Amino acid sequence: MSASARLPLPSGIPATDTETEQEILRAIEAASGRLEEWESLWRLVLFYLFHQKQVKRSDLAVALLELMIQESPTYGIYSSHLLP
């Protein structure tokens, strides 16, 4: 997937120097398709919401979710693709 086609991450990301966040960001960068990128973006949202007390960054999670909702028609990804 080309860098120009990627969803631009909100400012403030990366927010930590944790290996987990870096791993998720690498997965977003390495995504071979939109669904793979979307799944990694969801992981990043959950990381900011729930990973360790010192990481809780609901502001970034909300910013990512707003961006994902705004861009979902453009990206052709809908929540039904992510539900079991």
Side-chain angles (χ1 to χ4, degrees):
M1 193 169 177
S2 72
S4 61
R6 294 195 193 292
L7 194 64
L9 297 177
S11 63
I13 297 175
T16 72
D17 60 354
T18 65
E19 182 57 33
T20 302
E21 183 186 32
Q22 296 305 311
E23 178 185 310
I24 296 168
L25 292 172
R26 285 191 297 269
I28 292 168
E29 189 64 32
S32 60
R34 291 183 176 151
L35 184 58
E36 194 174 315
E37 179 187 17
W38 218 249
E39 289 168 348
S40 295
L41 288 168
W42 272 112
R43 285 181 56 212
L44 191 57
V45 167
L46 294 173
F47 172 79
Y48 289 138
L49 286 175
F50 301 115
H51 190 281
Q52 302 174 1
K53 292 181 182 180
Q54 70 270 21
V55 176
K56 290 193 178 189
R57 291 292 309 265
S58 60
D59 58 322
L60 291 177
V62 168
L64 271 172
L65 286 171
E66 288 175 345
L67 187 61
M68 291 167 71
I69 290 167
Q70 177 185 359
E71 295 294 324
S72 63
T74 303
Y75 271 61
I77 303 292
Y78 301 95
S79 60
S80 63
H81 290 130
L82 300 175
L83 297 174

